[in-house]
């Protein structure tokens, strides 16, 4: 069912029902063509020797994100489609990066790259890829995620979440962060759907931690409870709120809970308003020029549905479609693209995140999304 939801008549139906158009699909195809053209001989994206102080080998994270974009459009090693070889090479790159001792993807990468890699391999399995190497790599990736969940009940601000962790066990900051925790939970939820045996109680624990990050005073979810952050003039990051809302929706949380309802309101009041670099103040307060905020805002509002989604979707298309370059890429405009190593010559993160955003209409037509699809018929 997962492959058919991303290809053929069911994809066309989902696209139409969700609010996608021929223009959004043309942008997805162009973006994938750009990414395919930028894939390196090693099978990944980016210079495998390059290191970032916090994120490590950004080639691992960029490869995992790009792989998700190809999988989202229905391409996998077993689908015999235009980009089947691209996905096979990307999977080989990720498996080759996995550390023997820890199961961590990348010798220096942080929790972000590891979780996104685990998540991508889980989606590959969901799409019918039965290679035993992939399942074993997925299982070892899950084990590393579970090892790094905060489980000290005497530290309630930490209990259940995830912070930056690395293959050697060190941490950049031991306070958990919402955006990191959401990627870990998506990796675990996808692995569960793919048949990996893992304790569901650990997912529930992560969900409880997410809920505890709500600030009624701010009307947002905290990025982290680290006092160095909460004492700032801008005490959170905009992407944390839609990311939290999205994972709560995926995990079936009560839509009437004001923590979720108010989060949806916060996001819907900040639709995309043009492809341009924003000031720091507007980037942080309004999510302007913030592709990460738009990505999670799109996922959260799509699952929410209704008029909020219709308004957001219109604003999204008016922002992303005219700004796409002739080669299928998007110009990097925010700090996250800098962290990921994007340049005008290699716009991998920016293009991959926008392609994933524009695949929303059919990408999540998986078991946890079937109810939403049914509600929209």
């Amino acid at each position: 069912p997962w492959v058919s939801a991303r290809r053929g008549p069911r994809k066309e139906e989902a696209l139409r029902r969700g609010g996608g158009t021929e223009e959004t699909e043309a942008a997805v195809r162009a973006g994938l063509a750009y990414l395919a053209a930028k894939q390196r001989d090693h099978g990944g994206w980016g210079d495998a020797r390059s290191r970032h102080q916090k994120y490590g080998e950004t080639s691992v994270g960029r490869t995992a994100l790009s792989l998700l974009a190809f999988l989202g459009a229905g391409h996998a090693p077993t689908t015999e489609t235009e980009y089947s070889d691209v996905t096979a090479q990307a999977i080989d790159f990720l498996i080759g990066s996995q550390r023997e001792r820890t199961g961590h993807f990348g010798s220096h990468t942080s929790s972000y790259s590891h979780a996104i890699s685990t998540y991508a391999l889980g989606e590959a399995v969901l799409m019918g890829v039965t290679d035993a190497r992939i399942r074993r790599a997925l299982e070892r990736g899950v084990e590393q995620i579970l090892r790094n969940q905060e489980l000290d009940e005497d530290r309630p601000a930490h209990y259940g979440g995830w912070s930056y962790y690395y293959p050697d066990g060190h941490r950049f900051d031991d306070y958990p962060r919402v955006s990191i925790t959401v990627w870990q939970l998506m990796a675990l939820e996808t692995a569960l759907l793919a048949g990996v045996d893992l304790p569901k109680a650990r997912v529930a624990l992560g969900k409880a931690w997410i809920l505890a990050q709500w600030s009624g005073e701010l009307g947002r979810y905290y990025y982290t409870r680290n006092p160095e952050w909460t004492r700032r003039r801008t005490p959170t990051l905009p992407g944390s709120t839609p990311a939290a809302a999205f994972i709560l929706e995926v995990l079936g949380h009560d839509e009437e809970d004001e923590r979720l309802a108010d989060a949806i309101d916060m996001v819907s009041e900040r639709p995309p308003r043009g492809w341009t670099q924003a000031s720091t103040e507007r980037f942080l307060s309004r999510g302007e020029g913030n592709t990460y905020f738009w990505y999670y805002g799109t996922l959260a509002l799509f699952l929410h549905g209704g008029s909020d989604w219709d308004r957001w979707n219109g604003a999204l298309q008016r922002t992303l479609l005219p700004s796409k370059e002739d080669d299928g890429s998007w110009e990097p405009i925010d700090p996250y693209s800098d962290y990921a190593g994007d340049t005008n010559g290699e716009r991998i993160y920016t293009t991959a995140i926008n392609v994933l955003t524009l695949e929303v209409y059919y990408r999540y037509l998986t078991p946890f999304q079937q109810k939403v699809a049914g509600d929209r018929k």
Side-chain angles (χ1 to χ4, degrees), residues 319-375:
T319 295
L320 292 192
L321 298 182
S323 58
K324 180 183 64 62
E325 303 282 354
D326 290 342
D327 64 0
S329 71
W330 281 265
E331 177 189 5
I333 59 170
D334 64 30
Y336 302 134
S337 62
D338 290 337
Y339 303 156
D342 274 9
T343 65
N344 273 330
E346 197 171 56
R347 305 166 170 187
I348 304 306
Y349 164 81
T350 305
T351 301
I353 202 79
N354 284 344
V355 168
L356 286 165
T357 300
L358 291 172
E359 290 172 350
V360 68
Y361 312 107
Y362 46 80
R363 182 178 167 219
Y364 282 101
L365 207 64
T366 54
F368 60 71
Q369 219 272 301
Q370 285 176 354
K371 178 182 180 298
V372 175
D375 290 345

Side-chain angles (χ1 to χ4, degrees), residues 1 20 33 35 84 124 149 153 182 188 205 207 221 231 234 237 268 283 285 315 327 346 351 360 370:
L35 292 174
S84 291
Q149 189 175 21
E153 295 185 60
V182 169
L188 294 182
L205 190 61
K207 175 187 172 184
Y221 281 90
R231 289 194 295 261
T234 306
L237 292 175
S268 64
F283 179 88
S285 66
D327 64 0
E346 197 171 56
T351 301
V360 68
Q370 285 176 354

Side-chain angles (χ1 to χ4, degrees), residues 97-167:
S97 78
Q98 193 171 37
R99 300 300 91 188
E100 182 62 32
R101 185 176 64 84
T102 61
H104 196 99
F105 291 101
S107 58
H108 301 282
T109 61
S110 75
S111 44
Y112 276 114
S113 292
H114 177 77
I116 300 170
S117 298
T118 306
Y119 176 14
L121 294 187
E123 281 221 347
V125 173
L126 282 175
M127 291 184 66
V129 181
T130 57
D131 189 329
R133 295 178 313 130
I134 298 175
R135 178 165 287 278
R136 179 56 183 150
L138 170 62
E139 291 170 348
R140 296 186 67 229
V142 165
E143 290 166 2
Q144 174 73 336
I145 290 173
L146 294 175
R147 268 195 298 272
N148 284 280
Q149 189 175 21
E150 296 281 356
L151 297 176
D152 186 350
E153 295 185 60
D154 293 330
R155 306 173 77 196
H158 297 68
Y159 186 53
W162 281 267
S163 182
Y164 284 97
Y165 60 84
Y166 301 86

Side-chain angles (χ1 to χ4, degrees), residues 216-338:
E217 180 181 356
L218 295 177
R220 301 186 182 194
Y221 281 90
Y222 278 112
Y223 167 59
T224 173
R225 293 279 186 172
N226 185 329
E228 292 183 8
W229 268 89
T230 57
R231 289 194 295 261
R232 292 182 179 184
R233 180 169 171 268
T234 306
T236 188
L237 292 175
S240 302
T241 298
F246 168 66
I247 197 63
L248 291 173
E249 291 168 318
V250 165
L251 298 176
H253 191 67
D254 180 7
E255 293 182 3
E256 300 302 317
D257 187 324
E258 66 178 14
R259 291 170 293 186
L260 179 53
D262 289 352
I264 291 294
D265 287 344
M266 174 270 182
V267 177
S268 64
E269 292 167 0
R270 292 165 171 79
R273 297 188 184 279
W275 189 263
T276 185
Q277 189 170 3
S279 67
T280 300
E281 191 279 328
R282 296 194 73 81
F283 179 88
L284 293 175
S285 66
R286 302 291 305 176
E288 292 184 9
N290 188 330
T291 53
Y292 195 69
F293 175 74
W294 295 340
Y295 168 70
Y296 270 122
T298 298
L299 299 186
L301 286 175
F302 178 74
L303 293 187
H304 172 67
S307 58
D308 289 333
W309 164 245
D310 292 337
R311 286 191 295 272
W312 177 278
N313 186 39
L316 178 76
Q317 293 182 19
R318 289 190 295 273
T319 295
L320 292 192
L321 298 182
S323 58
K324 180 183 64 62
E325 303 282 354
D326 290 342
D327 64 0
S329 71
W330 281 265
E331 177 189 5
I333 59 170
D334 64 30
Y336 302 134
S337 62
D338 290 337

